[in-house]
Amino acid sequence: MIIKLIDQIEDNQKRTVIDKINSIGYKVSEVKTQVSSYLIAIGKKEFDIRKIGFLPGIADIHRVSDEYKLVSRKWKVNPTRIDLGDNVFIGGGSLAIMAGPCSIETESQIERTIDHLKQNGVRIMRGGVFKPRSSPYAFRGLGIDGLKMWHQQARAAGIKIISEVMQVSQIAEMYDFVDVFQVGARNTQNFNLLDELGKVDKPVMIKRGISGTIEELLSSAEYIFSGGNEKLILCERGIRTYEKASRNTMDVNAIPILKEKSHLPVVADPSHGIGIREYVEPVALAAVMAGADGIIYETHQKPEEAYSDSQQTLDFIESTQLINKLKRCFELRESF
Ligand code: PEP
Ligand code: MN
């Protein structure tokens, strides 16, 4: 159960509400986000919510039986829209396109990518500077200096930045230079990291774990929300299955399911989802038709020379084609 409190609630009013809920046999957790205050009541017994609904200090009360609560659509019917400023939004009826290399590599690579994005009206650039790599000998990113170099160019061009944060100490370092923090698939259940991101007043896109369920993704998002940060985006990026023909199995099913279960925007990552350049486009288009609020994918001026994920990276011609088709698919979907 979610009890949304009024902003001006007095301490004694809150105490009365908590005592009343406890007396029914429910446990109460207090959640204060950057936007609102809530009480999350957990219990099994059925009871009439009107029994507490009249108490002073309560703005709203909703029955939510799911494991996750605040990210559930059961209490917030309207979809959440994330505002990145300068008229750039994720969710709430538009299609957000985020593109860029797997890894930030060089100044000229950044320049050429930004030119490509600008030519196609794409406002958000992706790129990793802290890279989670399966092998310790692989390229692990330019680190914070790379992010600063990227930020300088992106700001000048009016391009927003999404980049992966791998550990708690990087949050403060990165803060001034990113518009969206990305939590990677290997960190979906790094609860210390999620707790800390709850304290940040910048959007976070959380990816589904490599072998994570939809419910686990939502529960991880709940960590960040209940930690205080309501600016959240969910990302389906494919899961590990027994199938060997592709790097991962893009779970297109997850998109309508997440949209139904949660009010948060849902982004799809077809690059990691299938992991094979030739098939990124059809999977991306399928994700749009399935209801995605955004697509994030990898592109590079010379994919064969990319420091990481070259095999799934589009060149700029393929990327331009994809952007045009994404827009057409989105229009078609919206016309249904
Ligand atoms: C990435 O976006 O480059 C990345 C490492 O993604 P994931 O965490 O989904 O593997
Ligand atoms: Mn990658």
Side-chain angles (χ1 to χ4, degrees):
M1 198 160 52
I2 298 176
I3 298 117
K4 190 163 187 259
L5 304 173
I6 61 167
D7 292 340
Q8 319 75 5
I9 190 167
E10 289 164 19
D11 283 348
N12 64 326
Q13 291 176 327
K14 200 190 320 181
R15 195 64 258 159
T16 307
V17 177
I18 293 173
D19 287 346
K20 182 79 184 165
I21 300 168
N22 284 336
S23 76
I24 298 165
Y26 275 54
K27 270 180 67 181
V28 179
S29 300
E30 286 191 57
V31 169
K32 193 165 172 44
T33 72
Q34 291 145 18
V35 181
S36 274
S37 293
Y38 311 88
L39 297 175
I40 307 299
I42 313 272
K44 291 221 165 6
K45 266 212 321 245
E46 276 296 314
F47 79 94
D48 188 346
I49 56 176
R50 285 172 301 188
K51 274 189 179 162
I52 53 169
F54 68 90
L55 290 170
I58 294 181
D60 240 335
I61 178 159
H62 303 268
R63 213 186 282 284
V64 180
S65 51
D66 305 311
E67 192 72 14
Y68 46 89
K69 307 281 179 201
L70 291 159
V71 303
S72 168
R73 189 183 273 278
K74 291 205 179 114
W75 77 280
K76 194 166 181 255
V77 180
N78 292 331
T80 292
R81 182 161 86 151
I82 309 291
D83 186 352
L84 302 186
D86 302 322
N87 235 1
V88 183
F89 300 98
I90 302 176
S94 54
L95 183 72
I97 301 178
M98 308 179 228
C102 180
S103 303
I104 296 298
E105 299 166 1
T106 61
E107 196 153 9
S108 82
Q109 174 219 31
I110 298 169
E111 229 170 77
R112 293 172 73 173
T113 308
I114 288 180
D115 278 351
H116 166 64
L117 299 184
K118 284 191 76 172
Q119 275 168 26
N120 288 283
V122 173
R123 305 286 308 277
I124 310 171
M125 179 166 160
R126 62 144 289 143
V129 294
F130 297 110
K131 295 302 302 177
R133 302 305 302 280
S134 301
S135 163
Y137 309 115
F139 177 64
R140 291 162 75 175
L142 293 183
I144 198 70
D145 291 337
L147 181 60
K148 287 180 182 168
M149 173 170 79
W150 176 18
H151 177 261
Q152 218 170 26
Q153 289 199 46
R155 271 295 164 273
I159 296 281
K160 304 291 176 187
I161 287 180
I162 177 166
S163 196
E164 175 166 356
V165 57
M166 280 179 61
Q167 60 178 29
V168 171
S169 63
Q170 289 161 357
I171 297 174
E173 262 189 303
M174 294 173 73
Y175 182 85
D176 286 332
F177 309 104
V178 293
D179 299 289
V180 182
F181 284 102
Q182 174 174 320
V183 176
R186 290 153 194 83
N187 266 319
T188 313
Q189 291 193 311
N190 179 342
F191 299 120
N192 294 327
L193 181 63
L194 304 183
D195 275 340
E196 289 304 310
L197 287 167
K199 299 176 188 160
V200 169
D201 64 348
K202 279 210 176 166
V204 176
M205 185 180 84
I206 180 160
K207 286 189 154 193
R208 181 172 177 186
I210 289 174
S211 306
T213 64
I214 290 171
E215 176 147 335
E216 282 165 345
L217 172 62
L218 290 165
S219 295
S220 291
E222 185 83 12
Y223 261 86
I224 306 177
F225 199 122
S226 64
N229 187 353
E230 299 196 8
K231 295 181 202 138
L232 286 173
I233 301 144
L234 304 169
C235 179
E236 166 57 44
R237 49 79 73 201
I239 47 173
R240 180 165 288 173
T241 67
Y242 54 77
E243 183 52 66
K244 295 277 189 291
S246 53
R247 180 181 182 186
N248 290 300
T249 298
M250 183 67 180
D251 185 9
V252 177
N253 299 1
I255 297 165
I257 294 175
L258 286 168
K259 294 287 299 170
E260 161 72 23
K261 288 185 181 293
S262 176
H263 54 83
L264 298 173
V266 176
V267 163
D269 175 347
S271 305
H272 295 87
I274 191 156
I276 304 166
R277 180 179 307 133
E278 293 82 337
Y279 309 133
V280 168
E281 180 182 294
V283 172
L285 301 182
V288 173
M289 296 319 282
D293 296 293
I295 299 291
I296 186 166
Y297 68 91
E298 293 178 337
T299 184
H300 190 284
Q301 75 276 16
K302 283 197 177 145
E304 62 286 358
E305 289 176 16
Y307 293 4
S308 55
D309 283 351
S310 144
Q311 80 293 344
Q312 66 191 31
T313 297
L314 305 187
D315 65 27
F316 290 164
I317 295 171
E318 292 162 334
S319 170
T320 299
Q321 273 170 14
L322 175 60
I323 294 164
N324 292 333
K325 291 187 186 177
L326 287 173
K327 289 179 180 163
R328 285 169 61 194
C329 272
F330 178 68
E331 276 169 26
L332 182 62
R333 182 184 100 195
E334 293 301 289
S335 73
F336 289 157

